[in-house]
Amino acid sequence: MNELNGNRSLTTRYRSGSDTLMAKHKLIDYSVDGGIALVTLNDPPANTYSYEMMQQLDARILEARSDESVQVIVLIGAGEKFFCAGANIAMLSEVTPEFKYYFCLHANETMCRLEQTPKLVIAAINGHCVGGGLEVAMAADLRVARRGAGKMGLPEVSLGVLPGTGGTQRLARMVGKSKAIELMAAGELFDFEKGEALGLVNRIIDATNGAEFMNQALEYARQFTTPNKASRAVGRIKRAVQTGAEIPFESALALERELQQQLFQSEDAREGLDAYVNKRKPEFTGK
C-alpha cells in the first residue's frame, strides 16, 4: 500500500509539477535562423525523453508551426554520442501504469503534430538513434545521419515491451510489415548504412565532428527554403503525402486538388509560372 501511494505521489508530481519543471529544466533548445527552426533534444548523456521533455518539444513544434518565418524544422540531439536513446527508463520505473499510458498518448500526439505540421521536418541523426529516439526520427519527413556515429533500431523487446510511440506503425509503413516485424522482434540494432538501404535514412553525411555535421545538415535543410524553393509548396507536398497515404485513394486525390488550389492562389505560384515563361530563375518568398 505504501508503495502504491508512493507511485501515486510520484505520478502526481510529474503531472501537477510539469509547468514548474519546464521552467526549471530546459530540455529543448530552440532557435530560428534563415527560415530554419533548430530544435535540439538536450538531456545528456543520451538525450532520453521524459514527460517534461515531450511537453517542451510539443510546445516548440507548435511555436514553429505558427511562426511564419519558419520554413523547415531540423531536429538534432545535443552532443556527439546520441541523437536520442528513447524514453527515460528511470522515469518510467517510478510511475504508475496509468501514467505510462498517458505519457505514451501525449508522445503519440506530439509526434503526430510534428508529422502533420505543413512544414518540412528533418531529423539530423548525429549519434545513436534507438528505441523512442528512432520513433521520434521516423516522425520526421527526412532523415540524414552522420556516417559512423552510431546505431539505430527498436530494441524494446529486450525490455519486454513494444515500441510504443508509433514505432510499430511507422516502421511497418516505411519498410514493409514482414521486415518491420523481423527488426522489432529481434530487437536488432544496425548501422546507418543499413538504415539507408532499408529506406530509414535519406542521406549519410561524412563529417569529422558534430559541429561539422550540424553545419552540413543545416546546409541540406536550406535547399528547401526560399528563395531557391517555394517553401509553401514543399509543405503542401508533405501534407499531400503524409495525409494522403492514410486515406482512400479517391479522397487522397481530392486532398491533392484542394492543396493545389491553395498553391495556385499563392504569390510563389505566380512567380514560378512567370519565371518559367520568361526563362529566368524564380525568386520565391514563401507567400
Side-chain angles (χ1 to χ4, degrees):
M1 187 69 176
N2 289 336
E3 181 181 355
L4 179 59
N5 288 335
N7 279 341
R8 282 177 177 166
S9 65
L10 283 164
T11 301
T12 301
R13 173 169 62 83
Y14 277 109
R15 285 175 174 160
S16 63
S18 60
D19 290 339
T20 302
L21 285 165
M22 284 177 72
K24 288 184 177 180
H25 304 286
K26 186 178 181 183
L27 301 171
I28 298 292
D29 292 333
Y30 181 83
S31 62
V32 178
D33 183 53
I36 298 173
L38 180 62
V39 181
T40 304
L41 311 179
N42 189 3
D43 191 15
N47 300 320
T48 54
Y49 60 78
S50 58
Y51 182 47
E52 291 73 44
M53 177 185 277
M54 199 55 68
Q55 284 183 297
Q56 293 179 35
L57 178 60
D58 198 5
R60 299 291 79 77
I61 291 167
L62 291 172
E63 182 175 349
R65 176 190 288 186
S66 301
D67 187 342
E68 294 183 7
S69 72
V70 173
Q71 300 173 4
V72 176
I73 301 169
V74 174
L75 297 176
I76 196 167
E80 299 192 14
K81 292 185 178 180
F82 284 90
F83 171 77
C84 176
N88 187 310
I89 302 301
M91 181 273 293
L92 290 177
S93 69
E94 292 179 336
V95 296
T96 65
E98 182 183 17
F99 179 80
K100 292 173 188 175
Y101 174 83
Y102 288 113
F103 168 72
C104 289
L105 174 59
H106 176 254
N108 274 316
E109 292 168 338
T110 300
M111 294 303 99
C112 286
R113 264 189 280 280
L114 188 68
E115 206 166 45
Q116 293 303 318
T117 293
K119 298 179 181 184
L120 196 68
V121 179
I122 300 170
I125 302 171
N126 54 317
H128 297 298
C129 180
V130 296
L134 181 54
E135 292 179 292
V136 171
M138 287 193 296
D141 305 302
L142 304 174
R143 286 155 294 282
V144 298
R146 179 184 168 196
R147 190 182 302 278
K151 301 286 187 179
M152 63 196 317
L154 296 173
E156 283 86 348
V157 69
S158 65
L159 299 175
V161 296
L162 56 72
T165 311
T168 61
Q169 302 308 303
R170 290 190 176 93
L171 187 64
R173 284 160 170 77
M174 289 181 179
V175 306
K177 290 190 292 183
S178 180
K179 177 56 70 173
I181 291 171
E182 179 186 37
L183 291 171
M184 289 183 285
E188 179 183 352
L189 297 182
F190 45 89
D191 59 29
F192 298 151
E193 284 78 8
K194 181 169 181 177
E196 185 178 35
L198 287 167
L200 292 174
V201 175
N202 295 86
R203 180 171 299 188
I204 296 178
I205 295 174
D206 292 301
T208 57
N209 54 52
E212 182 182 340
F213 171 74
M214 186 169 73
N215 288 336
Q216 290 194 50
L218 291 174
E219 188 61 33
Y220 174 81
R222 286 189 191 96
Q223 70 177 299
F224 303 107
T225 64
T226 58
N228 297 315
K229 284 287 191 305
S231 59
R232 186 180 294 267
V234 171
R236 297 314 182 274
I237 288 169
K238 166 186 174 167
R239 282 299 315 281
V241 173
Q242 291 284 18
T243 302
E246 304 302 325
I247 60 179
F249 186 66
E250 288 189 0
S251 298
L253 290 177
L255 171 66
E256 182 185 80
R257 289 193 300 272
E258 291 301 318
L259 293 172
Q260 181 74 302
Q261 179 60 23
Q262 292 176 20
L263 292 173
F264 276 143
Q265 298 175 30
S266 70
E267 293 179 15
D268 277 350
R270 289 191 288 273
E271 167 66 9
L273 292 171
D274 184 76
Y276 179 84
V277 169
N278 291 289
K279 296 181 173 56
R280 61 177 178 84
K281 183 179 178 180
E283 291 288 327
F284 295 114
T285 62
K287 297 180 180 179

